[in-house]
C-alpha cells in the first residue's frame, strides 16, 4: 500500500510528501495554493516484505520512526491467561485447571502457524496476527458452565475454536493434515490426551447454539453437537422454515461438508463483531449456506441488487440502508457481498473501512448525518451519553453498527484478483474469519446425486446407485481433463458443484423427454405394423365369409320375389275400395262446406249484437246497491231516469210507472233478473212498446249518464235487448237451416266411416305384407352390401398390402431398434447430458476421449448404453441437422455437436467464436424470428434486452469479453417468478413479463478467453473455433465455385433438392404413421386413408428413385470436387498458421473472412491452365506466396522467419513429409530430466551432451535408431543448404567400411530386429530435410536459425525467407473506404514521411487530416472522420496506443462504416498507426490492411527500402540531369 501506478510511483504518498515538504496542496478547481497550519501527520505501516510496496525514503525522512515489535510469548500468555482464568471462575474445578493449557496451546499453535505456513502467491491469505489468537480465545468465551463440565469437553471446545480460526483457511489436504497433527501434539503436551490426527476428519467436532429451534436469545446454549444425524435433521427443519418465509425456494443437500460450513458461518456471524470471508470457486454454495445461517441466527440477510449503471453512489445508498438497519433500528443484519458484485474496486475500500473501523468516510451528507443523530439520540441517552455530545452519539451509532452488522464476503480464489485484493485491503484477512471452501469430496457429490435420484424411476432399483456413482465419475473426469487441457493447450475451463447440479437436473429433464419421445415413436411404428398384421388376418377371414354368403343371398332373393307377387294382387283389390271411398269423401266434403257456410252466416249476424250485449252486462255488473238506492231515493225522478225505468219495466213485464219501478228496484234480485233475462224470446208486443223509447233522441247512454250513472247502464241494457231481439229474428231461420244441414252431414259421414274402416283393414293387410317385403329386401341388401364391402375390403387390403408391404420388414426392425434404444436410454441420455453440461469448452480430441471414457465406465458399472454412442445420435435428428446446415452451420461433426449444445442446454450459450461461424449461423437461424443484435458497449442494450424478453424475441449479444455485465445475471440464471398469474423476471430495478419464447445467445471473438468459474456456472461455454476439417470443406466449396462454378452450383442445387426430398420422405412416413396411429375401427373401411397411403407410397417411390439418382450424381460431383482437395487442405492449414500468429503479438490478428477473401482473390487472379494437375500446382504456389506476402508485411522482422517456418512445417505435415512425432521432438525436445543414459564410449571427440542427444534420438525417433552405434562406426553428418553438421570425425580407425546405400522402402513394414541393428551409414542421404533439421537442433542448437532459413528456402522457395516488397501504392490497392490501413510501429519508426510522399503522388497532400491521439483527442478524431467521410479526405490517426480508452469508440465508428447502407465517400481512406498493444480493437485489426513500420537493419534491408521508395518519375528526372548534378 498504496498501489504503484504504471510508472512505479505512488501518487498518494507524493501528495502527502508535498504537504510535508511545502506545507500545503494545490486547489485544482480554483487553481491556487492552500497552506495547512497546525497539522501533525501520524502514519502506520506494516514491516517491509511479504509483497508490500516499499515507501520512498523521501517520505520516511520526515517521520520519527518508532518500531513496535511483536509481543513476546510470555506477554501473550499472561494477557490471555488473565482473560481465561477470569472467565472460568464459575466452571467446575477440572475445567478451571485447563485454563493455562488452553492459553499455552493456543499461543504455540499461533506461533507455529505464523512461522511454518507462510504466505505464497497461492496462499496469500496465510497471514496470521494477534486478532486470530484473540478470536480463538473469544470463541472459548462463548462456552457455558452447564455444557462444559469436564476436561475432555474443554479440550474439544479448544480444538473446535482452533480449527475455526486456523484450520478453516487452509487450502489443501497437506496443510490441513499438518494442522491436525499439531493439534494432536497439543493434546498430548498440554491436555494429557492421546488423539489420532485422523479423528478430526472422520469425527469432526462441531459446536453451535442453534439446536433448539425458536429459543430465545438468552436460552441459546453454545454446546458440543456429537449427534450428526440429529444436527442434519435440525438443519433440514431450518431449511423448511426458511423456504416457508422466502419467495424463492432453496434446495440444499446436507452432506458433511455442507453441515460443517453452515455451523462455521453461523458461529462467525453470532460472535461479537463477527465477519466472515468465504473463499471458494463459484457454485460451491457460499451464498446459499450464508442465507441459511442468517436465518438460523434470526438475522436479516441483505444483498445489493445490481442494475445497469450501478455505481459508487448507488453502493453508498445501499450502505446507508444497511447502517440504518443496524445502527438505528438495531437489527442484527448480515451483509452478503460477492466478488461478482464488485463493479469498481472502491466498493472494497469502503468494506475494508467498515471491517476495520466501522465507519465509511463521507457516507452521510450533512442533512442525513443530522437525521442519524436525531434517530439514535434516545438510545444513546439510555446508554448514558449526554444529548448534546454529538460526536459521542455518532460513535455510539458506529459501535452499534459494528456489533449489529456482520459482513460475509464471498470470493473466488481463481485468477489474480483475490490475491491482489488481500494485499490491497488487509482488513479482508485481518478482520474476518476465513472459511475456505475446497472442492466437494466424493462423499458429498455422491450424496447429492443419490438424493436427486431417490424419487426418479430408472427401471431397476440398483441402477440408481450406479448412476449416482457415474455422476461423480463424470464430474471428477472433467476436472482432470480441464487440468490437462490447460497443461497442453493453455486453455482454462472450470467445473464447480453448480456444474454438477446442472448435470443432474439436465439429465432428469432430458431422460423423461427422451423416454417419452422414443416410446411415442415406437408406438407409432408399432401401431402401423399392427395394422399391417391385422390386415393380413382380416384378408383370410374375409375370403371365408365371402364364400359362405353367396348361397344365402340367392335364397333370400327367391323369397323376396314371392312376396312381391302376393303384394301386387292385394294392392289391386285395395285400390278398388279406395276409389269408392274417395268418391264418397268428395260428396261429404261438399256437404260439410255448405253446412259451414250457413253456420258462418248466422254467426256473423249474431256478432253484430253480442258486443252491445256484453257491454250492457258489464255495465250492470258495475252497479251495486248504493247505485240502486240512489235511484230509489228520487220521489220525483228526473225525466231521463223516469224514461229509462219505464223502458226497463216494459221489458220486465211491469207497469211503466214510478211506483212500479220503485218496487222493482226494491227487489233484491232486480239485477240478476236483468242479467238472466231470456233475450232469445222477447215478445213482439214488448218490442213495439219499446220502439218509442229507442227512437227517443235523448235515450242514449251518454245523455242518460249526465242524469244518473246507474240509469246509463240500464239504458245500455235496454238498447242491447232491443238490438239483440231484432238480430235474433233474422238469425233464427238460419239456425234452423243449419240444424237440418248438420243432420244430413252426420248421416253421410256415418256411411263414409263404414267404408273407411273397410279400407283401413285392407291397407293394414297390405302394410303387413309391405313390411315383410321391405324386411326381406333389407336383408337381401345387407347381404349384398356385406358381399360388396367384403369384396371392396379385399381390394383395399390388396392395395394396403401393396402400399405397406415393403414397410413391414423395415418397421419391424425399427421397432426392435427402438426397443434397444429404450433399453439403453438411461445410459445414452446420461452421457449425452454430460456432454451438454460439460464438454462444450473442449476441442474435438478431448471431447471424444471424454465420451469414450464415460461410455466404458458405464459398461463397467453395467449401466445400459449403446456401443456406437455419440451426442449427434442421441439428441439430434437428420432433418434438424440439414436445417442447421442450410442456415450456414458448417457440416463437420464438431459444429453439429456445438449446435446441439446451443439448442439443448438449459443455460444460455456463450460461444467462443473467433471466426464468426456461430454468429453467422445464429443470425441466419433466428432472423425470421426478429433477432435483436446487441453489444455490452451499446448504451441502450438493456432496454433492447427488456423488450425482447417481454415480446419473446431472440437476442444475440456479440463481442463479449472475459467479464459479463452483472446486470445480466437474472437473465443468465433465469431468475423468473410468478406474480398474479404472470411470469416475471426482475431486470435492474423493474419487474418485466417473461415470454418463454425468448432466446439469448452470446458470442466472443476472443480465441482463448479465460472465463472464471463464476461465469462458467451461469452459461454453457461452447468452443465454436473452426476445425481444420470444417474449414477445409468451406475452402473447398470456395475453390470449386471459382474453378468450376457449374459444378458447385449443381452440387448446391443437388444438396437443396436432396435435403428437400429427404425431408418430404420423412414427412410422408410421419403422415402414414400418424394416419395409421389415429385411424379408428376397421382400417379397410377408410377409403380416404388407403388412397392417401397409396398416393404417399407412389410419391415416396418417386422420391426414393430421385434420391438414388441424385445421390449417384452427388458422388460423381464429389469425386470431381475432391480433385481440388489439395488446394483446400493447403488453405485450411495456412489459415491456422496465420491465426496462431496472434499468440506471438496481439497486433497479428487476421479474420477468417479476410483470409478467405485473400485466398479466393489469389485463385481468381492466378494464371489459368486447362490441364488440371498444372492448374492445381499454380493454385498451390500462388496462394501460398500471396498469403505469405500479405501476412508477412504486417509482421516484425524478428517474426517473419517464425511465420515462414510454421507455414513450411505445416504444409509438409499436410503432405506427410513430417510426422507428428518428429515435429513434437523438434519443438519440445526429449521428455524427462532424470533419465538414465548408457555409459559414454571413451572417445575424445565425443562430448557428454552429444552422447546424451544421440541416446535421446535413438530412443525416440525411428529414423535415428541405432545412431548411438553408428556414431562410432561410420561418419554421421548432414547438410542443409550451405550448413554442414558433423557429429564425429570424417575418418576414424574404428570405422567399418561404409555399406552400399539402400534407398528407403515405400512400404510401411517394420524392419526386422537384425536389419534394424545393421550399420547403414549415408546419413545425409537417408534423412529427410526435416530429420536433418532435427539433427542440427539436437547437436548444434546455435545453428538452428541458419538451418531453418535454408530449410524454408529449399522446401518453399527463396521468396519465403525475404521480406516481401511493400509500398504504399500496393497497400492502397488493398484498401477500401471502410477498410483502414494500420501501421504497426516499432521504437524509432515513423511512417509519416513516406505517407506524405504517397499523398503527394496521389494528389491528396492538401486533403490529409492528421492527428496524434492522446488525452482528450478522441472527440476531435471523431469529428475529423465524420467530416472526411462526406468530403472524401484522408484521415491519419497516429499513436492509437496512447488513446486506449477511445479505442472502443473508434471500433464502433469503423464498424458503422462497414455496415450496408452507410454513407461514405468513395475517396475516403482511414490510416492508423499504433505500437503493439492489447487495447487495440481486434475487429479493426482483423479486417484491415496491416503493415509493420520498423527501421531497416543491415545494409541489404536499407538498400531494399531505399529502392522501394524510388519512383520511375524520379529516375526520369535524374536521367535528364548532367553528370555533375547526378554526383
Amino acid at each position: 500500500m498504496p498501489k504503484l501506478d504504471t510508472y512505479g510511483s505512488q501518487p498518494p504518498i507524493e501528495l502527502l510528501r508535498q504537504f510535508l515538504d511545502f506545507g500545503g496542496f494545490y486547489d485544482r478547481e480554483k487553481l491556487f495554493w492552500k497552506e495547512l497550519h497546525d497539522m501533525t501527520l501520524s502514519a502506520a505501516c506494516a514491516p517491509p516484505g511479504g509483497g508490500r510496496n516499499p515507501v520512498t525514503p523521501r517520505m520516511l525522512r520526515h517521520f520519527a520512526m518508532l518500531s513496535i515489535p511483536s509481543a513476546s510469548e510470555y506477554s501473550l500468555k499472561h494477557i490471555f491467561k488473565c482473560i481465561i482464568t477470569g472467565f472460568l471462575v464459575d466452571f467446575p474445578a477440572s475445567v478451571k485447571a485447563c485454563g493455562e493449557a488452553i492459553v499455552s496451546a493456543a499461543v504455540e499453535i499461533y506461533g507455529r502457524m505464523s512461522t511454518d505456513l507462510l504466505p505464497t502467491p497461492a496462499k496469500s491469505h496465510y497471514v496470521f496476527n494477534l486478532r486470530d489468537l484473540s478470536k480463538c480465545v473469544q470463541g472459548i468465551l462463548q462456552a457455558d458452565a452447564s455444557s462444559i463440565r469436564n476436561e475432555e469437553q474443554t479440550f474439544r471446545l479448544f480444538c473446535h475454536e482452533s480449527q475455526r480460526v486456523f484450520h478453516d483457511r487452509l487450502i489443501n489436504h497437506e496443510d490441513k493434515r499438518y494442522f491436525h497433527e499439531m493439534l494432536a501434539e497439543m493434546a498430548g503436551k498440554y491436555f494429557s490426551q492421546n488423539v489420532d490426527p485422523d479423528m478430526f476428519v472422520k469425527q469432526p467436532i462441531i459446536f453451535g447454539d442453534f439446536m433448539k429451534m425458536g429459543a430465545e436469545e438468552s436460552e441459546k446454549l453454545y454446546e458440543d453437537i456429537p449427534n450428526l444425524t440429529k444436527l442434519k435433521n435440525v438443519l433440514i427443519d431450518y431449511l423448511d422454515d426458511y423456504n416457508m418465509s422466502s419467495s424463492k425456494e432453496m434446495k440444499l443437500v446436507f452432506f458433511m461438508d455442507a453441515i460443517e460450513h453452515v455451523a462455521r458461518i453461523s458461529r462467525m456471524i453470532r460472535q461479537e463483531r463477527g465477519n466472515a470471508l468465504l473463499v471458494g470457486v463459484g457454485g460451491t454454495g457460499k451464498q446459499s449456506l450464508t442465507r441459511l445461517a442468517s436465518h438460523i441466527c434470526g438475522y436479516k440477510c441483505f444483498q445489493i441488487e445490481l442494475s445497469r449503471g450501478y455505481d459508487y453512489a448507488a453502493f453508498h445508498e445501499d450502505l446507508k440502508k444497511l447502517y440504518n438497519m443496524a445502527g438505528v433500528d438495531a437489527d442484527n443484519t448480515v451483509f452478503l457481498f460477492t466478488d461478482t458484485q464488485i463493479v469498481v474496486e472502491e466498493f472494497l475500500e469502503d468494506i475494508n473501512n467498515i471491517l476495520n473501523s466501522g465507519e465509511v468516510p463521507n457516507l452521510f451528507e450533512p442533512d442525513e448525518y443530522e437525521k442519524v443523530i436525531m434517530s439514535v439520540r434516545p438510545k444513546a441517552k439510555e446508554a448514558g451519553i449526554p444529548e448534546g455530545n454529538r460526536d459521542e452519539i455518532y460513535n455510539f451509532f458506529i459501535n452499534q453498527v459494528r456489533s449489529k452488522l456482520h459482513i460475509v464476503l464471498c470470493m473466488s480464489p481463481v485468477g489474480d484478483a483475490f490475491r491482489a485484493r488481500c494485499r490491497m485491503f488487509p482488513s479482508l484477512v485481518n478482520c474476518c474469519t476465513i472459511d475456505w471452501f475446497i472442492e466437494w469430496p466424493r462423499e458429498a457429490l455422491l450424496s447429492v446425486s443419490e438424493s436427486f435420484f431417490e424419487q426418479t424411476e430408472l427401471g431397476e432399483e440398483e441402477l440408481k446407485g450406479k448412476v449416482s456413482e457415474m455422476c461423480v465419475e463424470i464430474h471428477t473426469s472433467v476436472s482432470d481433463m480441464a487440468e490437462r487441457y490447460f497443461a497442453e493447450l493453455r486453455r482454462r475451463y472450470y467445473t464447480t458443484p453448480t456444474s454438477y447440479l446442472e448435470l443432474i437436473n439436465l439429465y432428469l429433464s432430458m431422460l423423461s423427454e427422451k423416454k417419452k419421445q422414443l416410446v411415442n415413436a415406437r408406438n407409432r411404428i408399432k401401431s402401423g405394423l399392427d395394422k399391417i398384421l391385422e390386415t393380413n388376418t382380416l384378408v383370410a377371414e374375409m375370403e371365408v365369409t365371402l364364400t359362405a354368403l353367396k348361397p344365402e343371398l340367392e335364397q333370400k332373393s327367391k323369397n323376396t320375389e314371392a312376396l312381391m307377387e302376393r303384394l301386387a294382387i292385394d294392392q289391386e283389390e285395395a285400390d278398388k275400395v279406395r276409389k269408392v271411398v274417395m268418391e264418397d269423401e268428395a260428396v261429404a266434403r261438399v256437404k260439410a262446406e255448405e253446412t259451414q257456410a250457413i253456420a258462418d252466416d248466422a254467426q256473423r249476424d249474431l256478432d253484430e249484437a253480442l258486443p252491445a250485449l256484453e257491454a250492457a252486462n258489464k255495465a250492470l255488473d258495475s252497479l251495486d246497491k248504493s247505485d240502486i238506492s240512489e235511484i230509489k231515493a228520487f220521489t220525483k225522478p228526473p225525466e231521463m231516469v223516469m224514461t229509462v225505468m219505464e223502458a226497463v219495466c216494459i221489458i220486465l213485464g211491469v207497469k211503466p210507472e214510478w211506483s212500479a219501478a220503485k218496487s222493482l228496484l226494491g227487489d233484491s234480485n232486480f239485477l240478476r233478473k236483468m242479467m238472466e233475462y231470456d233475450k232469445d224470446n222477447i215478445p213482439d208486443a214488448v218490442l213495439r212498446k219499446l220502439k218509442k223509447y229507442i227512437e227517443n233522441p235523448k235515450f242514449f247512454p251518454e245523455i242518460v249518464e249526465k242524469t244518473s250513472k246507474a240509469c246509463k247502464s240500464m239504458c245500455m241494457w235496454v238498447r242491447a235487448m232491443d238490438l239483440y231481439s231484432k238480430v235474433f229474428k233474422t238469425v233464427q231461420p238460419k239456425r234452423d237451416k243449419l240444424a237440418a244441414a248438420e243432420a244430413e252431414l252426420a248421416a253421410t259421414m256415418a256411411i263414409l266411416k263404414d267404408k273407411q274402416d273397410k279400407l283401413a283393414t285392407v291397407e293394414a293387410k297390405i302394410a303387413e305384407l309391405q313390411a315383410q317385403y321391405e324386411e326381406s329386401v333389407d336383408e337381401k341388401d345387407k347381404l349384398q352390401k356385406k358381399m360388396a364391402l367384403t369384396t371392396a375390403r379385399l381390394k383395399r387390403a390388396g392395395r394396403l398390402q401393396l402400399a405397406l408391404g415393403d414397410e413391414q420388414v423395415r418397421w419391424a426392425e425399427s421397432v426392435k431398434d427402438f426397443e434397444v434404444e429404450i433399453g439403453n436410454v438411461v445410459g445414452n441420455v446420461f452421457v449425452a447430458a454430460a456432454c451438454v453440461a460439460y464438454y462444450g469448452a473442449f476441442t474435438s480430441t478431448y471431447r471424444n476421449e471424454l465420451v469414450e471414457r464415460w461410455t466404458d465406465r458405464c459398461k463397467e458399472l453395467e449401466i445400459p448404453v449403446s456401443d456406437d454412442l455419440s451426442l449427434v445420435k442421441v439428441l439430434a435428428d437428420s432433418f434438424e441437422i440439414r436445417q442447421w446446415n442450410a442456415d450456414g452451420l458448417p457440416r463437420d461433426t464438431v459444429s453439429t455437436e456445438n449446435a446441439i449444445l446451443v439448442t439443448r442446454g438449459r443455460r444460455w450459450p456463450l460461444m467462443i467464436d473467433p471466426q464468426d461461424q456461430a454468429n453467422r449461423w445464429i443470425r441466419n437461424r433466428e432472423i425470421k424470428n426478429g433477432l435483436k443484435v446487441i453489444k455490452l458497449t451499446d448504451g441502450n442494450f438493456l432496454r433492447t434486452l427488456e423488450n425482447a424478453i417481454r415480446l419473446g424475441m431472440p437476442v444475440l449479444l456479440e463481442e463479449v469479453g472475459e467479464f459479463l455485465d452483472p446486470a445480466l445475471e437474472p437473465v443468465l440464471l433465469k431468475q423468473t417468478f410468478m406474480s398474479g398469474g404472470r411470469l416475471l423476471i426482475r431486470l435492474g430495478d423493474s419487474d418485466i413479463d417473461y415470454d418463454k419464447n425468448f432466446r439469448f445467445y452470446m458470442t466472443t471473438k476472443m480465441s482463448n478467453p479465460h472465463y472464471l468459474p463464476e461465469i462458467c456456472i451461469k452459461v454453457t461455454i461452447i468452443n465454436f473455433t473452426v476445425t481444420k476439417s470444417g474449414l477445409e470443406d468451406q475452402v473447398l466449396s470456395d475453390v470449386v465455385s471459382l474453378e468450376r462454378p457449374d459444378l458447385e452450383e449443381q452440387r448446391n442445387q443437388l444438396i437443396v433438392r436432396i435435403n428437400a426430398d429427404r425431408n418430404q420422405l420423412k414427412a410422408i412416413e410421419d403422415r402414414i404413421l400418424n394416419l395409421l396411429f389415429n385411424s379408428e375401427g376397421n382400417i379397410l373401411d377408410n377409403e380416404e386413408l388407403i388412397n392417401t397411403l397409396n398416393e404417399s407410397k407412389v410419391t415416396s417411390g418417386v422420391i426414393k428413385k430421385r434420391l438414388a439418382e441424385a445421390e449417384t450424381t452427388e458422388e460423381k460431383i464429389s469425386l470431381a470436387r475432391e480433385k481440388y482437395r489439395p488446394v483446400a487442405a493447403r488453405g485450411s492449414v495456412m489459415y491456422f498458421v496465420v491465426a496462431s500468429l496472434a499468440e506471438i503479438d496481439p497486433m497479428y490478428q487476421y479474420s477468417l473472412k479476410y483470409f478467405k477473401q485473400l485466398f479466393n482473390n489469389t485463385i481468381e487472379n492466378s494464371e489459368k491452365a486447362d490441364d488440371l494437375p498444372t492448374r492445381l500446382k499454380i493454385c498451390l504456389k500462388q496462394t501460398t506466396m500471396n498469403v505469405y506476402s500479405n501476412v508477412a508485411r504486417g509482421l516484425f522482422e524478428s517474426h517473419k522467419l517464425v511465420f515462414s517456418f510454421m507455414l513450411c512445417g505445416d504444409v509438409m505435415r499436410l503432405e506427410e513429409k513430417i510426422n507428428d512425432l518428429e515435429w513434437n521432438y523438434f519443438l519440445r525436445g526429449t521428455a524427462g530430466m532424470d533419465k538414465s543414459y548408457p555409459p559414454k564410449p571413451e572417445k575424445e571427440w565425443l562430448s557428454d551432451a552429444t552422447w546424451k542427444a544421440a541416446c535421446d534420438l535413438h530412443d525416440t525417433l525411428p529414423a535415428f535408431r541405432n545412431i548411438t552405434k553408428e556414431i562410432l562406426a561410420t561418419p554421421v553428418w548432414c547438410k542443409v543448404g550451405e550448413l554442414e553438421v558433423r557429429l564425429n570425425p570424417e575418418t576414424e580407425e574404428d570405422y567399418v567400411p561404409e555399406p552400399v546405400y539402400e534407398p528407403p522402402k515405400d512400404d510401411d513394414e517394420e524392419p526386422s530386429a537384425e536389419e534394424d541393428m545393421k550399420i547403414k551409414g549415408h546419413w545425409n542421404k537417408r534423412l529427410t530435410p526435416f530429420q536433418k533439421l532435427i539433427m542440427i537442433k539436437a547437436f548444434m542448437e546455435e545453428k538452428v536459425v541458419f538451418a531453418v532459413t535454408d530449410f524454408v528456402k529449399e522446401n518453399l522457395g527463396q521468396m519465403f525467407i525475404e521480406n516481401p516488397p511493400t509500398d504504399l501504392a500496393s497497400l492502397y490497392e488493398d484498401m477500401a473506404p471502410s477498410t483502414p490501413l494500420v501501421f504497426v510501429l516499432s521504437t524509432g519508426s515513423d511512417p509519416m514521411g513516406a505517407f506524405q510522399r504517397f499523398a503527394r503522388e496521389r494528389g491528396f497532400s492538401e486533403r490529409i487530416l492528421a492527428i496524434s491521439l492522446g488525452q482528450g483527442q478522441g472527440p476531435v478524431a471523431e469529428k475529423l472522420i465524420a467530416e472526411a467521410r462526406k468530403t472524401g479526405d484522408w484521415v491519419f490517426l497516429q499513436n492509437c496506443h496512447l488513446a486506449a480508452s477511445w479505442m472502443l469508440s473508434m471500433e464502433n465508428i469503423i464498424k458503422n462504416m462497414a455496415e450496408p447502407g452507410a454513407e461514405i465517400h468513395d475517396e475516403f481512406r482511414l490510416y492508423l498507426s499504433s505500437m503493439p498493444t492489447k487495447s487495440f480493437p481486434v475487429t479493426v485489426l482483423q479486417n484491415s490492411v496491416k503493415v509493420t513500420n520498423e527501421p531497416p537493419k543491415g545494409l541489404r534491408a536499407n538498400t531494399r527500402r531505399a529502392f522501394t521508395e524510388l519512383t520511375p518519375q524520379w529516375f526520369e528526372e535524374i536521367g535528364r540531369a548532367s553528370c555533375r548534378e547526378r554526383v
Side-chain angles (χ1 to χ4, degrees), residues 605-738:
D605 291 342
L606 277 173
D607 287 346
E608 285 179 26
L610 286 173
L613 186 64
E614 283 174 12
N617 287 338
K618 276 183 186 174
L620 290 174
D621 273 345
S622 65
L623 296 179
D624 55 17
K625 286 181 181 179
S626 61
D627 295 328
I628 301 299
S629 300
E630 180 196 323
I631 298 170
K632 275 168 69 180
F634 289 118
T635 51
K636 189 179 178 186
E639 181 192 350
M640 287 315 297
V641 172
M642 190 64 210
T643 305
V644 171
M645 287 309 299
E646 282 174 3
V648 171
C649 288
I650 288 167
I651 290 172
L652 293 177
V654 180
K655 195 175 180 181
E657 56 185 27
W658 180 243
S659 56
K662 276 182 86 172
S663 63
L664 192 60
L665 287 169
D667 186 354
S668 60
N669 294 323
F670 169 65
L671 290 175
R672 197 172 71 187
K673 280 179 184 177
M674 288 176 77
M675 295 286 284
E676 293 175 358
Y677 183 74
D678 184 8
K679 56 187 177 292
D680 290 344
N681 298 301
I682 302 174
D684 291 341
V686 171
L687 291 173
R688 280 195 302 272
K689 288 179 185 176
L690 274 179
K691 188 175 180 186
K692 69 168 185 172
Y693 295 101
I694 297 299
E695 290 174 352
N696 185 344
K698 292 182 182 178
F699 193 77
F700 282 97
E702 294 81 11
I703 297 169
V704 173
E705 185 182 15
K706 293 174 186 175
T707 309
S708 168
K709 183 184 171 188
C711 285
K712 173 198 171 190
S713 299
M714 291 181 198
C715 174
M716 286 171 71
W717 180 76
V718 170
R719 291 188 75 89
M721 289 298 113
D722 178 64
L723 178 63
Y724 184 82
S725 66
K726 285 174 185 174
V727 171
F728 188 73
K729 280 179 182 175
T730 310
V731 170
Q732 188 58 44
K734 291 179 182 178
R735 277 186 171 178
D736 295 341
K737 190 178 176 184
L738 177 63

Side-chain angles (χ1 to χ4, degrees), residues 778-795:
D778 282 348
E779 285 180 11
K780 180 186 168 188
D781 287 348
K782 280 179 186 173
L783 282 172
Q784 282 178 334
K785 282 178 184 173
K786 193 171 181 184
M787 281 188 74
L789 179 63
T790 308
T791 308
R793 279 179 175 175
L794 275 171
K795 280 183 184 174

Side-chain angles (χ1 to χ4, degrees), residues 6 47 198 245 280 336 353 406 439 443 505 543 573 599 640 671 693 721 723 773 846 1069 1105 1205 1282 1458 1491 1517:
T6 312
D198 292 336
S245 58
L336 178 56
N353 288 332
H406 305 275
E439 280 186 13
E443 166 261 327
N505 286 321
E543 284 173 346
E573 289 177 11
M640 287 315 297
L671 290 175
Y693 295 101
M721 289 298 113
L723 178 63
Y773 171 73
Y846 296 88
E1069 185 176 20
K1105 188 179 176 185
F1205 177 63
E1282 300 299 317
V1491 61
E1517 287 174 0

Side-chain angles (χ1 to χ4, degrees), residues 765-779:
K765 189 178 176 186
I766 289 171
E768 190 181 338
L769 282 172
Q770 185 71 33
Q772 287 177 11
Y773 171 73
E774 285 174 0
E775 189 181 338
S776 181
V777 169
D778 282 348
E779 285 180 11

Side-chain angles (χ1 to χ4, degrees), residues 988-1032:
D989 50 5
S990 59
D991 294 337
I992 60 170
D993 288 293
Y994 188 92
D995 191 308
K996 288 187 177 178
N997 293 318
F998 167 71
R999 294 282 174 275
F1000 191 45
Y1001 307 94
M1002 293 161 282
T1003 61
T1004 176
K1005 284 198 168 184
M1006 301 172 76
S1007 57
N1008 185 15
H1010 179 190
Y1011 287 117
L1012 298 177
E1014 287 71 27
I1015 291 180
C1016 290
I1017 63 176
K1018 293 172 190 168
V1019 297
T1020 301
I1021 294 177
I1022 303 169
N1023 192 341
F1024 245 102
T1025 307
V1026 68
T1027 60
K1028 279 189 180 177
S1029 62
L1031 181 57
E1032 195 174 306

Side-chain angles (χ1 to χ4, degrees), residues 895-967:
S895 297
T896 306
E897 289 174 350
N898 288 341
I900 293 169
L901 300 184
V902 169
T903 53
R904 302 292 190 273
R906 278 168 29 113
R907 295 174 295 192
W908 298 128
L910 170 52
M911 292 161 271
I912 300 168
D913 185 32
Q915 291 88 23
D916 267 355
Q917 307 251 71
N919 195 299
R920 278 197 299 277
W921 172 58
I922 294 295
R923 281 172 180 259
N924 293 338
R925 183 170 184 261
E926 295 288 6
I927 194 75
K928 58 184 176 291
N929 299 323
L931 177 73
K932 300 291 179 191
V933 181
I934 58 173
K935 299 182 185 71
L936 287 175
T937 51
D938 294 348
N940 62 342
F941 91 88
L942 261 188
R943 182 166 297 170
T944 308
L945 188 61
E946 273 183 33
N947 292 335
I949 291 171
R950 198 179 286 116
L951 300 172
M953 297 161 79
V955 173
L956 172 60
L957 175 60
E958 293 184 318
E959 295 175 30
V960 172
E962 290 189 340
F963 301 96
L964 292 172
D965 194 308

Side-chain angles (χ1 to χ4, degrees), residues 375-389:
S375 303
V376 179
R377 186 172 275 140
K379 290 179 184 173
K381 187 178 179 183
E382 288 173 19
I385 296 169
E387 285 187 45
N389 194 336

